[in-house]
Amino acid sequence: MTAPLLEIDDLRLHFYTRDGVVRAVDGVTYHVKAGETLAVVGESGCGKSVTAQSVLRLVPSPPGRYVSGQIRFQGRNLLDLDMAEMRKLRGAEISMIFQEPMTSLNPVLTVGRQIGETLVLHQGMDQKAAEARAVEMLKLVGIPEPERRVREYPHQLSGGMRQRVMIAMALACNPKLLIADEPTTALDVTIQAQILDLMRELKSRVGAAIILITHDLGVVAEMAERVVVMYAGRKVEEASVDDLFARPRHPYTLGLMGSIPHLGSSLVHNAPPRLAEIQGVVPSLREEIPGCAFAPRCGFATERCGRERPEIEELAPGHFAACFEAERVAAQFAEAAS
Ligand SMILES: Nc1ncnc2c1ncn2[C@@H]1O[C@H](COP(=O)(O)OP(=O)(O)OP(=O)(O)O)[C@@H](O)[C@H]1O
Ligand code: SF4
Ligand SMILES: [Mg+2]
């Protein structure tokens, strides 16, 4: 078996703020293999973005601090690299696209210049060759009249086009890993579908691995091979997409799928395209949680859950969950599904 391309290993990243310590990432482990698409899901604030930004060391420090763990890319721990070494990797080997392109595009540079910059920096192209390649990239991501658009500024483009420009920028140097943090959330449904088609097509052409952060379970089913479910700064379940939808083993995952059994009610399991609302609120990451962080919202909770924290365990090949009641969850889901 080949080693994974990226391995996040027991990562802890905390924010030291005036109001206390925020345990944004609290012992997260996941990996991505070359050419694979891994989806990361979970409610707002559970640490998806901060974990992904850690890979590129984009988390501001202070207040952020890597407390422990490793992030190995092709075997090298990225947390040991200095900023000059990180800059060599960014855009060239690992690149990232964000939810809101305006925050990562430079408003005073033409799009051609911005795509070209990474090529000049990482591939030593001259300005002219870089601009020519920028036109090619714009064509590749489906922007009409690329020769004209390449000379325009971000504000002259529509939201969907800016997202395409960001994808063009991210893919210009054929990175081995693309991190896409809710790349389509800000776009309307038709454009969303086009961007996802584009990512899929580019993935098969360029062969990049993708970490796809999303709130959309439809997108997970369509795009990813494996899924990591996060809750309160931790991974609570991991499985292949097929396994996760067919045999979820964590009550939180059931909740996201809209099939959480509330006390006294029966299971309903028609996975909605968006993550379902779960009753109750996410816990504050400022306090140490003694037991399972999901206990106050969990219909399966027992007395043990309040005092002991469940570790993540492999319950079937490739299927991990952090829940004392995982077998009961799986059995109830299976019964309701039959
Ligand atoms: N600079 C910061 N200082 C203090 N806390 C921060 C900082 N950046 C992020 N956090 C906290 O870290 C936690 C994880 O945030 P993160 O952005 O990773 O969530 P997320 O899962 O990506 O949520 P969303 O789905 O809303 O994007 C949150 O509680 C957030 O408030
Ligand atoms: S460990 Fe207990 S509280 Fe936590 S998810 Fe499982 S059953 Fe619910
Ligand atoms: Mg986020």
Side-chain angles (χ1 to χ4, degrees), residues 286-307:
R286 288 178 204 280
E287 285 140 42
E288 284 258 36
I289 300 159
C292 175
F294 192 55
R297 305 169 77 187
C298 181
F300 290 87
T302 64
E303 181 261 333
R304 182 187 183 188
C305 306
R307 57 182 156 80

PDB file of all heavy atoms in Angstrom, residues 286-307:
ATOM      1  N   ARG A 286     -14.441  26.648  24.552  1.00  0.00           N
ATOM      2  CA  ARG A 286     -13.602  27.289  25.570  1.00  0.00           C
ATOM      3  C   ARG A 286     -13.499  26.469  26.839  1.00  0.00           C
ATOM      4  O   ARG A 286     -12.661  26.735  27.675  1.00  0.00           O
ATOM      5  CB  ARG A 286     -14.150  28.667  25.935  1.00  0.00           C
ATOM      6  CG  ARG A 286     -13.947  29.684  24.857  1.00  0.00           C
ATOM      7  CD  ARG A 286     -14.548  31.021  25.249  1.00  0.00           C
ATOM      8  NE  ARG A 286     -14.853  31.771  24.053  1.00  0.00           N
ATOM      9  CZ  ARG A 286     -13.962  32.450  23.367  1.00  0.00           C
ATOM     10  NH1 ARG A 286     -12.718  32.500  23.761  1.00  0.00           N
ATOM     11  NH2 ARG A 286     -14.298  33.084  22.265  1.00  0.00           N
ATOM     12  N   GLU A 287     -14.438  25.519  26.989  1.00  0.00           N
ATOM     13  CA  GLU A 287     -14.404  24.732  28.217  1.00  0.00           C
ATOM     14  C   GLU A 287     -13.996  23.302  27.916  1.00  0.00           C
ATOM     15  O   GLU A 287     -14.342  22.772  26.877  1.00  0.00           O
ATOM     16  CB  GLU A 287     -15.797  24.719  28.864  1.00  0.00           C
ATOM     17  CG  GLU A 287     -16.133  26.023  29.550  1.00  0.00           C
ATOM     18  CD  GLU A 287     -17.576  26.428  29.325  1.00  0.00           C
ATOM     19  OE1 GLU A 287     -18.451  25.551  29.397  1.00  0.00           O
ATOM     20  OE2 GLU A 287     -17.809  27.623  29.063  1.00  0.00           O
ATOM     21  N   GLU A 288     -13.265  22.700  28.824  1.00  0.00           N
ATOM     22  CA  GLU A 288     -12.950  21.271  28.720  1.00  0.00           C
ATOM     23  C   GLU A 288     -14.251  20.511  28.904  1.00  0.00           C
ATOM     24  O   GLU A 288     -15.001  20.763  29.845  1.00  0.00           O
ATOM     25  CB  GLU A 288     -11.976  20.863  29.838  1.00  0.00           C
ATOM     26  CG  GLU A 288     -10.566  21.318  29.574  1.00  0.00           C
ATOM     27  CD  GLU A 288      -9.667  20.196  29.059  1.00  0.00           C
ATOM     28  OE1 GLU A 288     -10.145  19.333  28.295  1.00  0.00           O
ATOM     29  OE2 GLU A 288      -8.484  20.209  29.418  1.00  0.00           O
ATOM     30  N   ILE A 289     -14.525  19.597  27.985  1.00  0.00           N
ATOM     31  CA  ILE A 289     -15.749  18.811  28.099  1.00  0.00           C
ATOM     32  C   ILE A 289     -15.363  17.455  28.676  1.00  0.00           C
ATOM     33  O   ILE A 289     -14.549  16.752  28.090  1.00  0.00           O
ATOM     34  CB  ILE A 289     -16.417  18.663  26.711  1.00  0.00           C
ATOM     35  CG1 ILE A 289     -16.746  20.060  26.162  1.00  0.00           C
ATOM     36  CG2 ILE A 289     -17.664  17.788  26.788  1.00  0.00           C
ATOM     37  CD1 ILE A 289     -16.936  20.125  24.680  1.00  0.00           C
ATOM     38  N   PRO A 290     -15.908  17.086  29.827  1.00  0.00           N
ATOM     39  CA  PRO A 290     -15.458  15.853  30.470  1.00  0.00           C
ATOM     40  C   PRO A 290     -15.837  14.588  29.695  1.00  0.00           C
ATOM     41  O   PRO A 290     -15.023  13.715  29.484  1.00  0.00           O
ATOM     42  CB  PRO A 290     -16.141  15.889  31.843  1.00  0.00           C
ATOM     43  CG  PRO A 290     -17.263  16.851  31.710  1.00  0.00           C
ATOM     44  CD  PRO A 290     -16.929  17.796  30.616  1.00  0.00           C
ATOM     45  N   GLY A 291     -17.074  14.491  29.237  1.00  0.00           N
ATOM     46  CA  GLY A 291     -17.518  13.278  28.548  1.00  0.00           C
ATOM     47  C   GLY A 291     -17.590  13.486  27.056  1.00  0.00           C
ATOM     48  O   GLY A 291     -16.761  14.175  26.470  1.00  0.00           O
ATOM     49  N   CYS A 292     -18.608  12.889  26.444  1.00  0.00           N
ATOM     50  CA  CYS A 292     -18.803  13.049  24.998  1.00  0.00           C
ATOM     51  C   CYS A 292     -19.402  14.430  24.729  1.00  0.00           C
ATOM     52  O   CYS A 292     -20.409  14.810  25.334  1.00  0.00           O
ATOM     53  CB  CYS A 292     -19.753  11.974  24.484  1.00  0.00           C
ATOM     54  SG  CYS A 292     -20.168  12.194  22.740  1.00  0.00           S
ATOM     55  N   ALA A 293     -18.794  15.180  23.815  1.00  0.00           N
ATOM     56  CA  ALA A 293     -19.241  16.547  23.544  1.00  0.00           C
ATOM     57  C   ALA A 293     -20.661  16.591  22.983  1.00  0.00           C
ATOM     58  O   ALA A 293     -21.342  17.607  23.081  1.00  0.00           O
ATOM     59  CB  ALA A 293     -18.275  17.217  22.565  1.00  0.00           C
ATOM     60  N   PHE A 294     -21.117  15.478  22.426  1.00  0.00           N
ATOM     61  CA  PHE A 294     -22.445  15.469  21.808  1.00  0.00           C
ATOM     62  C   PHE A 294     -23.544  15.078  22.797  1.00  0.00           C
ATOM     63  O   PHE A 294     -24.733  15.180  22.495  1.00  0.00           O
ATOM     64  CB  PHE A 294     -22.439  14.504  20.602  1.00  0.00           C
ATOM     65  CG  PHE A 294     -23.657  14.620  19.719  1.00  0.00           C
ATOM     66  CD1 PHE A 294     -24.022  15.845  19.175  1.00  0.00           C
ATOM     67  CD2 PHE A 294     -24.437  13.516  19.432  1.00  0.00           C
ATOM     68  CE1 PHE A 294     -25.145  15.969  18.364  1.00  0.00           C
ATOM     69  CE2 PHE A 294     -25.565  13.624  18.620  1.00  0.00           C
ATOM     70  CZ  PHE A 294     -25.911  14.853  18.085  1.00  0.00           C
ATOM     71  N   ALA A 295     -23.158  14.644  23.998  1.00  0.00           N
ATOM     72  CA  ALA A 295     -24.120  14.084  24.953  1.00  0.00           C
ATOM     73  C   ALA A 295     -25.377  14.936  25.184  1.00  0.00           C
ATOM     74  O   ALA A 295     -26.491  14.395  25.167  1.00  0.00           O
ATOM     75  CB  ALA A 295     -23.423  13.756  26.266  1.00  0.00           C
ATOM     76  N   PRO A 296     -25.251  16.276  25.378  1.00  0.00           N
ATOM     77  CA  PRO A 296     -26.462  17.047  25.670  1.00  0.00           C
ATOM     78  C   PRO A 296     -27.486  17.045  24.530  1.00  0.00           C
ATOM     79  O   PRO A 296     -28.647  17.371  24.746  1.00  0.00           O
ATOM     80  CB  PRO A 296     -25.930  18.485  25.881  1.00  0.00           C
ATOM     81  CG  PRO A 296     -24.475  18.324  26.160  1.00  0.00           C
ATOM     82  CD  PRO A 296     -24.033  17.099  25.425  1.00  0.00           C
ATOM     83  N   ARG A 297     -27.058  16.666  23.328  1.00  0.00           N
ATOM     84  CA  ARG A 297     -27.975  16.695  22.186  1.00  0.00           C
ATOM     85  C   ARG A 297     -28.321  15.278  21.707  1.00  0.00           C
ATOM     86  O   ARG A 297     -28.985  15.124  20.691  1.00  0.00           O
ATOM     87  CB  ARG A 297     -27.338  17.468  21.033  1.00  0.00           C
ATOM     88  CG  ARG A 297     -26.905  18.866  21.404  1.00  0.00           C
ATOM     89  CD  ARG A 297     -26.047  19.485  20.311  1.00  0.00           C
ATOM     90  NE  ARG A 297     -26.824  19.936  19.175  1.00  0.00           N
ATOM     91  CZ  ARG A 297     -26.283  20.386  18.051  1.00  0.00           C
ATOM     92  NH1 ARG A 297     -24.973  20.419  17.906  1.00  0.00           N
ATOM     93  NH2 ARG A 297     -27.034  20.799  17.051  1.00  0.00           N
ATOM     94  N   CYS A 298     -27.821  14.276  22.408  1.00  0.00           N
ATOM     95  CA  CYS A 298     -27.848  12.931  21.846  1.00  0.00           C
ATOM     96  C   CYS A 298     -28.980  12.071  22.424  1.00  0.00           C
ATOM     97  O   CYS A 298     -29.074  11.904  23.641  1.00  0.00           O
ATOM     98  CB  CYS A 298     -26.508  12.245  22.110  1.00  0.00           C
ATOM     99  SG  CYS A 298     -26.416  10.587  21.425  1.00  0.00           S
ATOM    100  N   GLY A 299     -29.803  11.520  21.543  1.00  0.00           N
ATOM    101  CA  GLY A 299     -30.894  10.642  21.964  1.00  0.00           C
ATOM    102  C   GLY A 299     -30.427   9.261  22.403  1.00  0.00           C
ATOM    103  O   GLY A 299     -31.211   8.489  22.940  1.00  0.00           O
ATOM    104  N   PHE A 300     -29.174   8.925  22.157  1.00  0.00           N
ATOM    105  CA  PHE A 300     -28.644   7.616  22.547  1.00  0.00           C
ATOM    106  C   PHE A 300     -27.831   7.673  23.839  1.00  0.00           C
ATOM    107  O   PHE A 300     -27.324   6.664  24.306  1.00  0.00           O
ATOM    108  CB  PHE A 300     -27.720   7.075  21.443  1.00  0.00           C
ATOM    109  CG  PHE A 300     -28.431   6.666  20.183  1.00  0.00           C
ATOM    110  CD1 PHE A 300     -28.690   7.585  19.187  1.00  0.00           C
ATOM    111  CD2 PHE A 300     -28.838   5.348  20.004  1.00  0.00           C
ATOM    112  CE1 PHE A 300     -29.330   7.209  18.017  1.00  0.00           C
ATOM    113  CE2 PHE A 300     -29.480   4.955  18.832  1.00  0.00           C
ATOM    114  CZ  PHE A 300     -29.730   5.898  17.842  1.00  0.00           C
ATOM    115  N   ALA A 301     -27.661   8.880  24.390  1.00  0.00           N
ATOM    116  CA  ALA A 301     -26.727   9.056  25.504  1.00  0.00           C
ATOM    117  C   ALA A 301     -27.104   8.211  26.725  1.00  0.00           C
ATOM    118  O   ALA A 301     -28.278   8.031  27.043  1.00  0.00           O
ATOM    119  CB  ALA A 301     -26.658  10.527  25.894  1.00  0.00           C
ATOM    120  N   THR A 302     -26.077   7.709  27.374  1.00  0.00           N
ATOM    121  CA  THR A 302     -26.266   6.996  28.638  1.00  0.00           C
ATOM    122  C   THR A 302     -25.493   7.770  29.706  1.00  0.00           C
ATOM    123  O   THR A 302     -24.802   8.743  29.391  1.00  0.00           O
ATOM    124  CB  THR A 302     -25.694   5.568  28.563  1.00  0.00           C
ATOM    125  OG1 THR A 302     -24.289   5.666  28.368  1.00  0.00           O
ATOM    126  CG2 THR A 302     -26.320   4.761  27.440  1.00  0.00           C
ATOM    127  N   GLU A 303     -25.562   7.278  30.904  1.00  0.00           N
ATOM    128  CA  GLU A 303     -24.882   7.965  32.012  1.00  0.00           C
ATOM    129  C   GLU A 303     -23.366   8.015  31.782  1.00  0.00           C
ATOM    130  O   GLU A 303     -22.709   9.014  32.053  1.00  0.00           O
ATOM    131  CB  GLU A 303     -25.267   7.224  33.297  1.00  0.00           C
ATOM    132  CG  GLU A 303     -24.707   7.765  34.591  1.00  0.00           C
ATOM    133  CD  GLU A 303     -23.480   6.973  35.023  1.00  0.00           C
ATOM    134  OE1 GLU A 303     -23.381   5.775  34.659  1.00  0.00           O
ATOM    135  OE2 GLU A 303     -22.628   7.561  35.683  1.00  0.00           O
ATOM    136  N   ARG A 304     -22.819   6.947  31.197  1.00  0.00           N
ATOM    137  CA  ARG A 304     -21.383   6.881  30.918  1.00  0.00           C
ATOM    138  C   ARG A 304     -20.910   8.033  30.011  1.00  0.00           C
ATOM    139  O   ARG A 304     -19.814   8.573  30.184  1.00  0.00           O
ATOM    140  CB  ARG A 304     -21.091   5.542  30.213  1.00  0.00           C
ATOM    141  CG  ARG A 304     -19.631   5.327  29.901  1.00  0.00           C
ATOM    142  CD  ARG A 304     -19.463   4.065  29.052  1.00  0.00           C
ATOM    143  NE  ARG A 304     -18.076   3.783  28.795  1.00  0.00           N
ATOM    144  CZ  ARG A 304     -17.655   2.851  27.965  1.00  0.00           C
ATOM    145  NH1 ARG A 304     -18.519   2.109  27.293  1.00  0.00           N
ATOM    146  NH2 ARG A 304     -16.366   2.660  27.779  1.00  0.00           N
ATOM    147  N   CYS A 305     -21.780   8.432  29.076  1.00  0.00           N
ATOM    148  CA  CYS A 305     -21.398   9.461  28.083  1.00  0.00           C
ATOM    149  C   CYS A 305     -21.093  10.808  28.745  1.00  0.00           C
ATOM    150  O   CYS A 305     -20.356  11.615  28.210  1.00  0.00           O
ATOM    151  CB  CYS A 305     -22.506   9.653  27.059  1.00  0.00           C
ATOM    152  SG  CYS A 305     -23.024   8.132  26.261  1.00  0.00           S
ATOM    153  N   GLY A 306     -21.713  11.039  29.904  1.00  0.00           N
ATOM    154  CA  GLY A 306     -21.509  12.305  30.585  1.00  0.00           C
ATOM    155  C   GLY A 306     -20.169  12.408  31.295  1.00  0.00           C
ATOM    156  O   GLY A 306     -19.704  13.508  31.577  1.00  0.00           O
ATOM    157  N   ARG A 307     -19.535  11.261  31.564  1.00  0.00           N
ATOM    158  CA  ARG A 307     -18.295  11.342  32.332  1.00  0.00           C
ATOM    159  C   ARG A 307     -17.074  10.823  31.588  1.00  0.00           C
ATOM    160  O   ARG A 307     -15.945  11.106  31.967  1.00  0.00           O
ATOM    161  CB  ARG A 307     -18.437  10.626  33.682  1.00  0.00           C
ATOM    162  CG  ARG A 307     -18.845   9.189  33.581  1.00  0.00           C
ATOM    163  CD  ARG A 307     -19.016   8.527  34.940  1.00  0.00           C
ATOM    164  NE  ARG A 307     -19.903   7.397  34.824  1.00  0.00           N
ATOM    165  CZ  ARG A 307     -19.516   6.193  34.372  1.00  0.00           C
ATOM    166  NH1 ARG A 307     -18.261   5.985  34.040  1.00  0.00           N
ATOM    167  NH2 ARG A 307     -20.388   5.226  34.255  1.00  0.00           N
TER     168      ARG A 307
END
